[in-house]
Amino acid sequence: MRLQKEQIQDIQGEDIAFHEERFDALSNFLSKKEINIDAITDLLAGFQVAIPSWALGAGGTRFGRFSFQGEPSNLEQKIEDVGLVHTLTRSAGAISLHIPWDVPDDYGAIKEKASSLGIIFDAVNSNTFQDHKKDKYSYKFGSLSHYDQAVRDQAVQHNIDVIEIGKKLGSKSLTVWLADGTAFPGQKNFQTSFLNTGESLKQIYRAMPEDWKLFIEYKPYEPNFYSMVIQDWGTSYLLATECGQNAYTLVDLGHHLPNTNIEQIVSLLMLKGKLGGFHFNDSKYGDDDLTTGSIKPYALFLIFNELVHGMRNNQGNPPMSWMIDASHTIKDPLEDLIQSLEAILEAYVKALLIDQEALRAAQEENDVVKCQEILQEAYRTDVRPLLERYRLKNGGALHPIKAYRALKIRENLVKERGVNTVATGL
Ligand code: RM4
Ligand code: MN
Ligand code: MN
């Protein structure tokens, strides 16, 4: 299914006048503060968030999976789904593939489809947390960290194969997330596991084209519950530094122990020029993969404050790869992604509104109350009319969820694809 701009325009006629009123009020308010609203909408055009190919179908939990009707059953349909989200929001102009879940059959056709929808291929993701049918060895006891050289070699080769696939699609980065670790104390030696992982990653790094980046993702627990080899940002940073200049840490918002100060991690990684990738989601307890902004929107805003600071001041840090890494167990995946995108852009724009000079001055005066006032003044501003304006100007929907429902997109997908389709993924 492909959505035309005109279809969107047709259904939102009445909402435009109300939008204009609210937009004018916001733009008057912001111009009094000498904030340039056009500069912000321009930044939004450059802020595209990749949709992972595995988030377009229903996600399962370890207890079961409730399938979703009209799920995409192949990569082309997944790209069409990202196209729908992008057409409505103008913010999802990229897809991130997980291999071997989404190996293209016909590269030409896949590239053609993506580019016709304005979608590029972001980081490719390797998978050594599951066994692959064609492989000789199992990853049950690890992959890049495995004690057995033969298993490590197989895992390294898988990553190299993923790079080859990415090259054919125009990707420029590889994300490695390892499930390696131990389920019980004493199962393995921490140092050996770390050293093996470092050696394996260096081999993968050397196989990467020079203009590629390697993203190393960390996670404190799950699926291993006693120890994970790359448990935190410090471990990822050490490994990225050992690999070389084009290796970076990737922060996934759900990969921290409860109440970790993620904004501080972001800040220091950017200072060191080592934050390369970012996975958005939200969580109450762990790697819950919930809709971004559904649980801790203020924390997301504080994280964006550091991201904005880093993007402005840390020239040594590369442009980031943004991705939504969520799992949709009960919501329509496309609606969930649209909600996440809205929350992400809202937090980004609010962070852009922070009066940085005043904040710096208040910090220097140790005026703690004023510091909080400055942050919250930005946070409490309702920036939704600005996001609406960005979408309107670029042919998207004023209210993407409303448009998605009014245009009966899911109903159409079910008609087209049937009720029993199942997307690859977890
Ligand atoms: C992991 C991690 C990775 C993702 C897999 C599916 O928890 O977040 O980024 O590739 O899940
Ligand atoms: Mn992730
Ligand atoms: Mn995760």
Side-chain angles (χ1 to χ4, degrees):
M1 179 187 179
R2 193 181 267 264
L3 204 55
Q4 305 300 336
K5 270 190 201 165
E6 296 69 34
Q7 287 173 272
I8 300 176
Q9 281 159 6
D10 288 349
I11 51 135
Q12 54 193 15
E14 285 168 18
D15 292 332
I16 306 268
F18 187 46
H19 158 73
E20 298 282 352
E21 251 174 64
R22 290 163 59 244
F23 181 78
D24 289 346
L26 177 63
S27 98
N28 284 340
F29 172 71
L30 292 180
S31 67
K32 290 213 175 76
K33 294 167 165 260
E34 287 169 27
I35 293 173
N36 180 346
I37 214 164
D38 292 327
I40 297 184
T41 33
D42 288 349
L43 281 176
L44 290 183
F47 192 88
Q48 297 296 322
V49 184
I51 305 297
S53 60
W54 62 100
L56 297 158
T61 69
R62 63 200 170 102
F63 299 102
R65 179 180 184 276
F66 301 101
S67 83
F68 215 90
Q69 304 192 336
E71 279 185 32
S73 54
N74 57 44
L75 182 52
E76 268 189 53
Q77 291 180 353
K78 289 182 177 188
I79 294 173
E80 278 170 23
D81 279 9
V82 178
L84 292 169
V85 176
H86 188 44
T87 305
L88 290 167
T89 63
R90 308 314 300 157
S91 297
I95 185 167
S96 187
L97 301 192
H98 222 300
I99 310 295
W101 292 337
D102 290 296
V103 182
D105 292 324
D106 179 344
Y107 283 86
I110 290 296
K111 280 172 76 171
E112 171 68 39
K113 167 135 280 174
S115 81
S116 74
L117 292 164
I119 293 165
I120 60 157
F121 291 90
D122 205 85
V124 276
N125 301 262
S126 59
N127 179 340
T128 58
F129 46 89
Q130 291 175 322
D131 285 343
H132 308 169
K133 271 199 201 98
K134 66 169 186 37
D135 283 348
K136 191 164 174 197
Y137 304 105
S138 166
Y139 296 128
K140 183 171 178 184
F141 298 108
S143 61
L144 298 184
S145 76
H146 205 284
Y147 273 18
D148 183 348
Q149 173 85 51
V151 183
R152 295 204 298 278
D153 288 346
Q154 177 183 288
V156 167
Q157 188 55 48
H158 165 65
N159 279 273
I160 295 173
D161 295 345
V162 173
I163 294 170
E164 288 309 315
I165 292 172
K167 275 179 14 192
K168 290 196 222 160
L169 293 167
S171 285
K172 291 276 174 224
S173 46
L174 168 73
T175 297
V176 175
W177 172 70
L178 297 182
D180 293 39
T182 57
F184 297 98
Q187 187 185 326
K188 268 178 193 163
N189 178 279
F190 295 132
Q191 295 186 356
T192 307
S193 296
F194 178 81
L195 290 170
N196 284 346
T197 302
E199 284 315 310
S200 304
L201 283 171
K202 274 183 243 169
Q203 283 183 51
I204 296 166
Y205 181 84
R206 284 195 292 268
M208 245 178 24
E210 270 174 26
D211 61 344
W212 270 51
K213 293 181 208 146
L214 173 65
F215 302 142
I216 304 171
E217 184 170 0
Y218 58 90
K219 178 164 166 172
Y221 68 90
E222 200 201 20
N224 274 297
F225 288 100
Y226 172 63
S227 75
M228 293 285 277
V229 177
I230 311 180
Q231 61 155 333
D232 60 7
W233 73 277
T235 313
S236 163
Y237 179 83
L238 285 174
L239 291 165
T241 307
E242 275 178 24
C243 281
Q245 214 190 340
N246 294 335
Y248 299 90
T249 293
L250 182 147
V251 169
D252 179 313
L253 292 178
H255 291 192
H256 302 89
L257 297 174
N259 304 324
T260 298
N261 190 332
I262 301 175
E263 53 271 31
Q264 192 174 7
I265 295 172
V266 165
S267 165
L268 295 190
L269 283 170
M270 289 188 94
L271 177 69
K272 293 290 175 191
K274 275 292 188 195
L275 184 56
F278 211 91
H279 287 179
F280 293 106
N281 48 51
D282 212 338
S283 80
K284 178 79 180 156
Y285 304 104
D287 191 21
D288 307 343
D289 278 343
L290 299 174
T291 321
T292 314
S294 62
I295 308 274
K296 293 174 285 198
Y298 191 58
L300 183 64
F301 161 77
L302 295 176
I303 290 163
F304 262 105
N305 178 30
E306 299 307 330
L307 290 168
V308 166
H309 178 89
M311 288 191 275
R312 284 183 183 150
N313 301 296
N314 301 135
Q315 303 307 332
N317 203 74
M320 213 98 69
S321 265
W322 311 104
M323 190 190 92
I324 294 175
D325 193 2
S327 174
H328 316 107
T329 52
I330 54 170
K331 284 181 182 168
D332 176 334
L334 299 184
E335 292 196 339
D336 195 330
L337 291 163
I338 291 169
Q339 288 185 316
S340 281
L341 284 167
E342 182 79 0
I344 291 165
L345 294 195
E346 218 180 300
Y348 179 32
V349 170
K350 286 179 177 189
L352 289 168
L353 299 186
I354 297 170
D355 185 340
Q356 295 295 344
E357 266 172 52
L359 181 60
R360 184 71 192 200
Q363 288 169 347
E364 273 162 20
E365 286 159 19
N366 295 310
D367 190 340
V368 186
V369 169
K370 194 160 179 198
C371 292
Q372 179 179 322
E373 288 294 303
I374 292 166
L375 288 185
Q376 295 193 350
E377 170 70 15
Y379 182 69
R380 289 169 179 152
T381 309
D382 183 358
V383 299
R384 288 174 299 172
L386 198 154
L387 303 185
E388 291 164 14
R389 178 56 57 104
Y390 164 71
R391 289 190 289 264
L392 203 57
K393 257 172 68 180
N394 293 281
L398 264 183
H399 306 296
I401 292 277
K402 197 171 166 186
Y404 181 84
R405 293 189 171 190
L407 293 166
K408 299 200 178 313
I409 293 183
R410 178 55 61 184
E411 287 85 336
N412 279 310
L413 290 175
V414 174
K415 237 184 263 161
E416 237 178 71
R417 301 171 181 168
V419 289
N420 293 323
T421 51
V422 179
T424 46
L426 280 176

